[in-house]
Amino acid sequence: MPDGRFFDQAFQALTGWPPLGWQRRLFAEHFAVFDPPRVNLPATVDLPTGLGKTSVIVIWLLALAWRAENNGVRLPRRLVYVVNRRTVVDQATDIAERLRRVLKTAAAGSIAAQIRDRLNKLCIDPTDEASPLAISTLRGERADNREWQADPARATIIVGTVDMIGSRLLFSGYGVSRRMRPFHGGLLGQDTLLIHDEAHLSEPFGKLLHTIAEIQQTQKAPRPLRVMELSATQRDETSTAFVMTASEKSEAEAVKRLQAIKRLHFEAIAEDKDDAIAKVVELALRYKDERKRVLVYVRSPNDACEIADRLTRATASSRVALLTGTIRSYERDALAETALFKGFRSDPDRQPPEATEYLVATSAGEVGIDLDADHLVCDLTTLDSMIQRLGRVNRLGGKDRQANVHVVEWPVKKDEGEKGKLDQAIVETKTALASLPKCDDVHDASPESLRALADRTAAFAPSPRTVELTDILVDNWALTRVKDLPGRPMPERWLHGIEAGEPDLYVAWREEVSELAACLRNENRNSIRILKQLYDKHPILARERLRGPLSQVKRELEKIAKRNPKTAESTQVESEEREPPQPIQAILLSVNGDPVVGALSDLLERETELSNATIVLPPSAGGLDERGMLADDERFAPERSYDVADDLGASSKEQRRRLRILLERKEGDGWSARVLGQAIDIPVDLAEQLAGERIDKVPSRLIRDHFAGTCTLAERALLVIEEDDEGPSKALQLLGASRAATIVQDDPAAAARPQELDEHLSWARDEAEKVVERIGLRATNPTIAEAVAIAAHWHDRGKDRPEWQKAIGNPPPRKGGDGTWKPWAKSGQRGFDESACGSYRHEFGSLREAEKDETIRRHPERDLILHLIAAHHGWARPHFEPDQWDIADGVSEEENATVAAETLRRFARLQRRFGHWGLAWLESLVRAADYAASGRLAASPAASADAPTNVPSPASEALKESTA
């Protein structure tokens, strides 16, 4: 049992305030002594809003540090924090980053420094800049820094949305290549504590998580997933729920928050919607001259917009903010950085505003956001939403604070189906809230009083229908190397359920749409390939999109389609000289079908493809109002930023994404280039090389001296979008955000410098030995630990093929050489020429050689060793294609076929033995060792004594000349 003084001192050192009683108890009785099945973590932590549920992150981290020093680590090394709200994801990331800053800057000898030192004992490389705590955020608009993938033994916090985490758990990660899907699934699905915050928002996802945990227990997975739900509005009380005791509720800080005064007033029922809106505005304006922060909640985005407009007219635009789910994410993110929005955040020391400020919001601002308004005006909705809303007013309590809550009842229509169920739940909510204690004809809506309504589940919003997770589905998803498999659906329904109501339609703006539309045709398969590659390499990010109900968004887009696009040039030409107006061009990205390019009006006629699709418009089409909402608005850049895909001015380094360079051959020999709309002069020979490469990876040396800020960009792709008899005439060059050298995952030969094969294999085994030691696998299962190390030592043997060496710029010398040539494992970023070795996979060659090794043949974990060798780049799940078989001299097709057939059978055997996620986790250990070995190159001198001295290839010499 840990010393209570350790937790109290450590908690205050990391957070700045002393722990509450429930936090001490959760640490001492569950986290610090976690030892299943004797002592488990609670399945649910059910606490009132405002009592610091997110401190579970701190509790886990301190328990991990405690266990690192005492009796070994059984607690999961990774904490995955999931919530279905983007703003809350960012808040959780902020908490994690503050923890790491405290640890890194702690003075020697302090309690925080002791925690740092304990956590460093878990790390493979304590000197890594991410140690002792890796932090990654997985949501669509933030680039994954991949810290969570580099070291499976290190304490790691991963924060993400339901879609980004859930899809990866089902081996179907959105935006993740097929080779990386098992790696992501294994790391997230094993040795992980998954915290599902505000679980009532995502019941289907919660059901999915519990099913996965149950499957893993049945499969006896090595490090089964642990799931904990956090919620202030738990729908079902369970005996395993962790709740506050009476003594914990009586603590001074808890009393202040539980008994925070919130005076709930039921206002007169409105006769119609306009009357209801007017009533909300009137109530909000009561506080106009009192220097208060007033929060307004309504269900409808249109109503919220109208209320915000009226308040703006009655006060000033700088005093009113609007937050809805239909505002483009870029503008919502910008709102979160404003002084007005920050003023609504919880802070016991904050000062009143100079004048009353208003935040008008829909459900997008209800859940999990750390808001603390002085007063609240809202419409009546379901009880779970009302509890969340009430948690955003007078959040911190105190004897000098009391909040008024004005509830306006909208007129209700009698509907059938799901809408009728929702209306009935709202009626039940009125009854529940009316049962709260009254004083002076006003209801007490303090958190303590609201807890008495926990059993009023009939007043909660109807739950979406869910879909069962079956073993057949998981089997199909785990076959990550099979591209098109019948019966393998996308995972959306398992993440979100089958929701009633209208689907959404998304809208984004990109500069290149007009260029693409001018030269691509839907009937051309090459055009479809280009669009697919474009949006795979340069996907539509969440910050670029706005969304809304399909019918509403379609109506607004139809209005936009009827307008003629305005350009600066057209206004300077006399009307009789103008060309006939051209329709607005757009690109339709449907959920499952091929991309389609064409006139916006025509795309809107493809009704069967619009459900949850994305329409990509050119900036000249306009369509955004001043708040970032879709409207028939003709303003466009530079008045408003429409294309925000490459917002390099963002404060967060994760938001550096990609530059787009459009190259165009003019008449004669001249070329022009545009980078994000700005013309740049480039040499003709460079332009021709860029446009003529037509490969997925263009060497950095071709561009570093000509495009500022791109010399470290590692993800590159070039799309030839138009050509004629003379060759390429137009091309789109995509330059992506750089990756750390330790985890370059899609290039089998890339590294900081060239490296001989024998050295790399030796380093990989060393790193694998560290991995299995740090995660405790050697202590619990030494035979499997040894198998991981052996696999790491063999994983790249298949690179010793003349053709493969030629592909990385290290061709063997002709006969009569001096004998100094040695095969390389890494090329030093020279690129990879697939034409030299075809589709050959070096893992298959490594596998074939390992099958013949006598030591491996006698090893009790022979099957596992061979599979880990074959699968270290995501293949062997379950197969290799014939054109990927070994190309070594003297290997017959029959021998290759035998190896390939046994690869399928071996995968099936091992997945039955270790389970879907358990096998993927073991694969991830070898990958992590491989990445760590490559990462050591970045820290070693580029011209060390033992560096390869092979003669550079002619290709590399040509590249030097081109940039001289």
Side-chain angles (χ1 to χ4, degrees):
M1 181 67 69
D3 184 345
R5 289 175 298 178
F6 164 79
F7 180 74
D8 284 8
Q9 294 172 5
F11 189 94
Q12 179 141 9
L14 295 189
T15 65
W17 55 82
L20 297 172
W22 73 263
Q23 293 162 336
R24 292 190 190 92
R25 181 164 58 91
L26 186 61
F27 173 82
E29 296 183 5
H30 294 278
F31 278 89
V33 292
F34 175 70
D35 186 15
R38 187 178 61 84
V39 180
N40 267 309
L41 301 176
T44 303
V45 174
D46 186 9
L47 299 168
T49 297
L51 283 170
K53 294 190 300 296
T54 53
S55 65
V56 171
I57 297 174
V58 184
I59 296 171
W60 162 82
L61 187 63
L62 292 179
L64 202 59
W66 171 263
R67 297 299 292 268
E69 191 76 9
N70 300 275
N71 304 322
V73 177
R74 294 182 178 86
L75 202 64
R77 306 295 181 99
R78 284 173 292 283
L79 183 142
V80 178
Y81 195 91
V82 185
V83 64
N84 204 23
R85 287 288 188 271
R86 296 170 55 256
T87 307
V88 188
V89 166
D90 290 343
Q91 288 180 187
T93 300
D94 291 342
I95 292 171
E97 289 176 344
R98 284 199 300 270
L99 289 174
R100 184 161 68 182
R101 282 197 299 272
V102 171
L103 292 173
K104 281 185 169 294
T105 59
S110 65
I111 184 69
Q114 294 175 36
I115 296 167
R116 177 186 63 210
D117 294 342
R118 292 182 180 189
L119 293 174
N120 270 329
K121 292 180 180 179
L122 304 177
C123 303
I124 296 174
D125 180 9
T127 66
D128 185 279
E129 66 177 26
S131 298
L133 175 63
I135 301 170
S136 295
T137 300
L138 302 182
R139 66 174 177 90
E141 59 278 20
R142 293 183 67 145
D144 178 9
N145 63 14
R146 306 188 180 182
E147 288 182 4
W148 67 284
Q149 303 173 31
D151 183 350
R154 180 168 54 198
T156 301
I157 298 173
I158 306 159
V159 187
T161 59
V162 167
D163 285 310
M164 298 299 279
I165 300 298
S167 65
R168 283 165 169 75
L169 277 173
L170 295 180
F171 300 98
S172 307
Y174 298 149
V176 179
S177 66
R178 284 184 291 143
R179 74 167 62 195
M180 295 304 298
R181 287 176 183 176
F183 183 53
H184 287 205
L187 282 183
L188 291 178
Q190 292 284 279
D191 207 4
T192 294
L193 168 61
L194 194 148
I195 304 291
H196 185 197
D197 195 8
E198 305 298 352
H200 68 284
L201 284 178
S202 313
E203 291 185 63
F205 181 61
K207 180 179 179 181
L208 171 70
L209 293 177
H210 288 294
T211 303
I212 290 175
E214 291 169 2
I215 291 173
Q216 292 191 8
Q217 292 291 339
T218 302
Q219 294 177 340
K220 298 182 179 179
R223 304 283 175 93
L225 178 70
R226 306 290 171 179
V227 179
M228 180 185 294
E229 293 186 338
L230 308 182
S231 182
T233 51
Q234 192 67 25
R235 191 180 294 266
D236 297 314
E237 293 286 346
T238 64
S239 59
T240 58
F242 180 93
V243 297
M244 294 179 70
T245 64
S247 62
E248 290 164 354
K249 292 178 181 179
S250 66
E251 294 175 343
E253 187 63 30
V255 168
K256 186 173 74 170
R257 300 190 185 190
L258 289 172
Q259 297 181 6
I261 300 174
K262 307 180 187 188
R263 298 160 51 85
L264 190 148
H265 310 255
F266 282 108
E267 305 294 341
I269 300 176
E271 295 182 3
D272 54 38
K273 188 173 78 168
D274 191 67
D275 179 45
I277 290 174
K279 186 65 175 177
V280 168
V281 173
E282 174 199 331
L283 292 166
L285 290 175
R286 288 184 184 180
Y287 306 100
K288 178 181 177 182
D289 302 320
E290 297 185 15
R291 298 181 62 193
K292 299 295 184 182
R293 292 181 173 90
V294 180
L295 190 53
V296 178
Y297 279 123
V298 288
R299 283 179 285 154
S300 164
N302 290 337
D303 293 345
C305 191
E306 176 63 25
I307 290 168
D309 286 341
R310 295 190 188 189
L311 288 173
T312 297
R313 290 193 293 269
T315 56
S317 59
S318 61
R319 300 297 178 188
V320 182
L322 177 66
L323 176 60
T324 77
T326 56
I327 293 176
R328 187 174 62 166
S329 298
Y330 180 79
E331 281 75 17
R332 275 192 289 164
D333 290 345
L335 171 64
E337 297 300 317
T338 62
L340 185 151
F341 188 86
K342 290 180 177 179
F344 276 83
R345 301 287 291 270
S346 297
D347 182 356
D349 300 321
R350 74 179 182 185
Q351 299 300 310
E354 294 181 2
T356 294
E357 295 176 341
Y358 298 92
L359 176 59
V360 185
T362 59
S363 60
E366 277 183 9
V367 179
I369 300 180
D370 183 20
L371 300 177
D372 185 15
D374 297 309
H375 301 294
L376 169 65
V377 183
C378 66
D379 61 4
L380 182 63
T381 184
T382 57
L383 182 58
D384 48 331
S385 288
M386 290 299 298
I387 292 173
Q388 292 294 330
R389 292 176 174 185
L390 288 162
R392 314 300 149 206
V393 62
N394 195 11
R395 188 176 179 86
L396 300 181
K399 63 179 181 179
D400 297 327
R401 291 190 66 189
Q402 65 175 22
N404 289 321
V405 178
H406 304 276
V407 180
V408 178
E409 294 184 64
W410 250 238
V412 177
K413 297 179 181 179
K414 292 185 177 180
D415 292 295
E416 301 295 331
E418 295 298 321
K419 183 63 168 62
K421 293 179 182 178
L422 179 63
D423 290 339
Q424 183 58 41
I426 293 174
V427 171
E428 294 289 340
T429 299
K430 172 68 179 294
T431 303
L433 293 176
S435 70
L436 291 171
K438 294 181 69 175
C439 180
D440 297 330
D441 205 33
V442 176
H443 293 278
D444 172 16
S446 65
E448 188 174 53
S449 296
L450 289 175
R451 296 295 287 178
L453 306 181
D455 61 343
R456 301 292 188 100
T457 55
F460 283 21
S463 301
R465 289 181 294 142
T466 58
V467 186
E468 292 292 332
L469 181 68
T470 65
D471 54 352
I472 295 176
L473 281 167
V474 183
D475 283 342
N476 285 350
W477 281 320
L479 299 175
T480 51
R481 270 301 167 183
V482 182
K483 185 175 182 181
D484 299 309
L485 185 64
R488 181 168 64 191
M490 294 297 287
E492 285 91 346
R493 288 184 293 169
W494 286 264
L495 304 181
H496 302 291
I498 304 174
E499 299 187 23
E502 188 177 9
D504 288 328
L505 179 59
Y506 297 84
V507 185
W509 288 261
R510 286 281 181 89
E511 289 178 357
E512 69 269 12
V513 169
S514 296
E515 299 282 356
L516 292 169
C519 53
L520 298 184
R521 298 293 179 267
N522 293 319
E523 62 272 11
N524 187 319
R525 296 305 302 176
N526 185 56
S527 296
I528 294 174
R529 178 190 62 80
I530 288 168
L531 287 174
K532 283 183 174 181
Q533 189 177 358
L534 169 64
Y535 291 108
D536 175 58
K537 291 286 184 179
H538 195 32
I540 303 293
L541 304 177
R543 71 163 177 268
E544 300 179 67
R545 301 188 305 177
L546 65 74
R547 69 174 176 86
L550 193 154
S551 60
Q552 294 181 23
V553 174
K554 184 181 176 184
R555 268 198 307 272
E556 294 298 333
L557 291 178
E558 286 171 342
K559 296 177 186 177
I560 293 171
K562 291 177 181 178
R563 296 200 320 263
N564 295 328
K566 295 185 176 181
T567 64
E569 292 81 3
S570 66
T571 61
Q572 300 173 5
V573 181
E574 296 297 329
S575 59
E576 63 270 14
E577 298 178 356
R578 293 176 184 171
E579 295 182 0
Q582 298 297 314
I584 293 174
Q585 299 296 302
I587 295 173
L588 171 64
L589 305 175
S590 62
V591 174
N592 294 315
D594 290 334
V596 181
V597 61
L600 175 60
S601 55
D602 293 338
L603 298 181
L604 294 174
E605 295 297 320
R606 306 171 75 104
E607 295 188 2
T608 58
E609 301 173 54
L610 293 179
S611 178
N612 296 310
T614 299
I615 298 280
V616 190
L617 300 173
S620 59
L624 284 172
D625 67 13
E626 66 276 7
R627 294 191 178 102
M629 300 182 78
L630 189 64
D632 183 21
D633 176 64
E634 298 188 28
R635 286 171 295 174
F636 53 89
E639 288 83 1
R640 166 163 294 283
S641 297
Y642 274 88
D643 185 341
V644 295
D646 300 295
D647 181 18
L648 302 187
S651 59
S652 173
K653 65 180 181 181
E654 286 85 1
Q655 290 186 352
R656 279 188 70 109
R657 296 295 296 188
R658 292 170 175 82
L659 298 175
R660 287 157 292 169
I661 303 173
L662 188 71
L663 305 164
E664 188 169 11
R665 178 163 53 80
K666 297 182 176 180
E667 293 183 6
D669 296 328
W671 279 78
S672 65
R674 285 194 295 110
V675 181
L676 298 180
Q678 297 183 356
I680 293 180
D681 293 330
I682 61 171
V684 173
D685 58 345
L686 173 63
E688 289 177 344
Q689 282 181 285
L690 286 171
E693 285 284 348
R694 300 199 65 178
I695 57 176
D696 286 344
K697 293 182 174 66
V698 180
S700 298
R701 297 179 187 183
L702 288 177
I703 56 177
R704 67 170 53 167
D705 294 332
H706 303 282
F707 302 113
T710 64
C711 60
T712 61
L713 300 177
E715 293 179 2
R716 294 173 292 278
L718 183 134
L719 312 174
V720 174
I721 59 177
E722 194 169 48
E723 57 186 330
D724 53 30
D725 293 340
E726 298 181 36
S729 59
K730 189 175 289 186
L732 185 70
Q733 178 77 32
L734 305 180
L735 305 171
S738 62
R739 295 179 179 178
T742 54
I743 44 177
V744 175
Q745 298 158 338
D746 291 326
D747 189 338
R753 65 167 174 82
Q755 184 183 34
E756 290 176 3
L757 179 57
D758 287 345
E759 180 185 60
H760 175 68
L761 292 175
S762 176
W763 285 12
R765 175 154 191 160
D766 290 346
E767 297 298 332
E769 296 280 7
K770 294 179 187 176
V771 169
V772 296
E773 181 70 31
R774 297 294 194 278
I775 65 174
L777 186 61
R778 185 180 303 285
T780 58
N781 200 319
T783 307
I784 290 180
E786 186 179 45
V788 171
I790 293 173
H793 191 59
W794 275 83
H795 75 286
D796 275 352
R797 295 286 179 94
K799 290 182 176 180
D800 189 3
R801 304 289 185 270
E803 298 87 348
W804 199 93
Q805 291 295 311
K806 181 180 178 183
I808 66 169
N810 181 41
R814 296 179 180 179
K815 292 182 179 180
D818 61 6
T820 60
W821 183 90
K822 292 182 180 180
W824 287 356
K826 303 296 178 181
S827 67
Q829 299 287 2
R830 280 168 169 74
F832 191 84
D833 181 7
E834 292 182 357
S835 65
C837 65
S839 298
Y840 165 67
R841 293 303 312 179
H842 69 275
E843 309 97 291
F844 192 92
S846 303
L847 169 66
R848 192 193 63 79
E849 287 190 35
E851 282 192 341
K852 297 178 179 297
D853 181 74
E854 191 60 31
T855 301
I856 294 176
R857 189 189 298 273
R858 294 195 305 267
H859 198 280
E861 291 292 347
R862 176 179 183 270
D863 252 12
L864 180 60
I865 294 170
L866 295 176
H867 174 75
L868 295 181
I869 293 170
H872 78 270
H873 278 301
W875 292 93
R877 296 188 134 255
H879 71 307
F880 289 92
E881 299 289 348
D883 59 352
Q884 298 164 343
W885 293 352
D886 201 356
I887 55 176
D889 292 341
V891 180
S892 67
E893 184 172 349
E894 290 76 15
E895 181 181 353
N896 273 332
T898 300
V899 174
E902 181 59 19
T903 300
L904 283 90
R905 291 189 288 266
R906 183 184 301 113
F907 169 72
R909 290 195 299 269
L910 291 170
Q911 188 161 262
R912 283 195 301 269
R913 177 184 170 193
F914 293 104
H916 303 88
W917 293 272
L919 181 60
W921 176 68
L922 291 171
E923 293 169 20
S924 74
L925 302 183
V926 176
R927 286 206 195 197
D930 186 15
Y931 299 154
S934 299
R936 285 169 61 174
L937 287 173
S940 60
S944 62
D946 58 349
T949 56
N950 301 347
V951 177
S953 68
S956 65
E957 291 300 311
L959 292 182
K960 291 179 182 178
E961 292 178 5
S962 70
T963 55

